[in-house]
């Protein structure tokens, strides 16, 4: 098992409205994380901004995309292929975000995308998470199935390019995140699922958490939740707050 760095991912979704603002946020985040060494920071702007911001990215800041299509070229109106993304130094791709699943993306599509992304050396941030929690524990079966389907056929040698982003849908965009204690239980469960799938190599897969992360809960979620990092929506568009979260996690 390789020792991996912590990972903080900013998912900008369909924001900001103008490319100048995108450039500004990148510049400010970059300044704010100058001394960061133990953490990888990924920003995932909308596709159309990738080429304009790409030249500003260098470690510890990495460029990510919010999705990638699994074919390399052809008649797929509106899609952007994983090979196109590579040209702009894109190293991470969010796959299977719940907002995309809501628009019709299936486990099978997520699986094809994960395999495509890792096949060319990029890292697939693979999103899973239940829409609600029932007392009978059905949600655990749901999470297990999502992970199993998404990672089906991923070569063992590529597991260090797989991140499982656990994002309970009820916490995304919400006022409050899940509790670090509940996250701890779930991260243990996800680790067990990964061990069932990949045995001793399961530790190559990083697990991160997403859903209403901010500077008041970030370090406890990572520390007590026992995860390798965070996937952050709203707060990643606020450079000061985002940098503060990164520094808190770096200090753990
Ligand atoms: P949020 O979004 O941080 O705004 O809750 C998280 C996500 O959707 O990835």
């Amino acid at each position: 098992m390789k020792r991996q760095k912590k990972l903080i991912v900013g998912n900008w979704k369909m924001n900001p409205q103008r490319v100048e603002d995108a450039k500004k946020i990148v510049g400010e985040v970059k300044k704010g994380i100058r001394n960061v060494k133990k953490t990888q920071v990924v920003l995932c702007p909308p596709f159309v901004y990738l080429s304009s911001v790409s030249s500003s990215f260098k470690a510890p800041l990495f460029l990510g995309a919010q999705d990638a299509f699994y074919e390399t070229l052809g008649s797929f109106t509106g899609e952007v292929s994983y090979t196109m993304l590579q040209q702009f130094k894109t190293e991470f791709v969010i796959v299977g975000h719940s907002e995309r699943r809501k628009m019709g993306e299936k486990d099978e599509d997520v699986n094809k995308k994960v395999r495509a992304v890792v096949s060319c050396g990029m890292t697939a941030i693979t999103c899973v998470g239940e829409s609600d929690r029932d007392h009978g524990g059905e949600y655990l079966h749901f999470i297990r199935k999502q992970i199993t389907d998404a990672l089906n056929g991923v070569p063992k040698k590529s597991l260090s390019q797989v991140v499982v982003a656990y994002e309970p849908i009820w916490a995304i965009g919400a006022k409050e995140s899940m509790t670090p204690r509940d996250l701890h239980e779930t991260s243990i469960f996800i680790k067990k699922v990964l061990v069932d799938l990949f045995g001793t190599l399961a530790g190559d897969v990083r697990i991160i958490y997403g859903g209403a992360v901010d500077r008041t809960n970030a370090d406890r979620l990572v520390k007590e939740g026992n995860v390798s990092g965070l996937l952050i929506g709203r707060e990643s568009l606020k450079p000061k707050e985002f940098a503060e979260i990164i520094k808190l996690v770096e200090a753990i």
Side-chain angles (χ1 to χ4, degrees), residues 9-13 94 97-99 127 165 167-169 171-177 209-214 231-236:
V9 184
N11 175 12
W12 285 4
K13 308 191 179 184
I94 297 173
H97 190 280
S98 64
E99 286 156 13
C127 300
E167 296 207 299
I169 295 172
I172 295 175
K175 244 176 150 176
E176 292 194 20
S177 72
Y209 166 82
V213 174
D214 60 29
L231 177 51
I232 301 174
R234 288 158 291 175
E235 298 299 297
S236 70

Side-chain angles (χ1 to χ4, degrees), residues 1 126 128 143-152 154 156 159 162-166 186-208 226 228:
M1 184 172 84
T126 313
V128 300
I143 296 170
R144 178 183 285 275
K145 184 175 175 338
Q146 274 193 328
I147 296 173
T148 306
D149 288 354
L151 304 187
N152 182 28
V154 171
K156 286 192 170 172
L159 289 176
V162 174
V163 174
V164 171
Y166 171 59
T186 316
S187 71
I188 288 173
F189 174 74
I190 293 174
K191 276 182 193 143
K192 180 166 178 343
V193 172
L194 292 169
V195 168
D196 292 344
L197 292 173
F198 303 112
T200 51
L201 290 175
D204 286 355
V205 180
R206 281 180 287 183
I207 301 169
I208 63 175
N226 197 18
S228 299

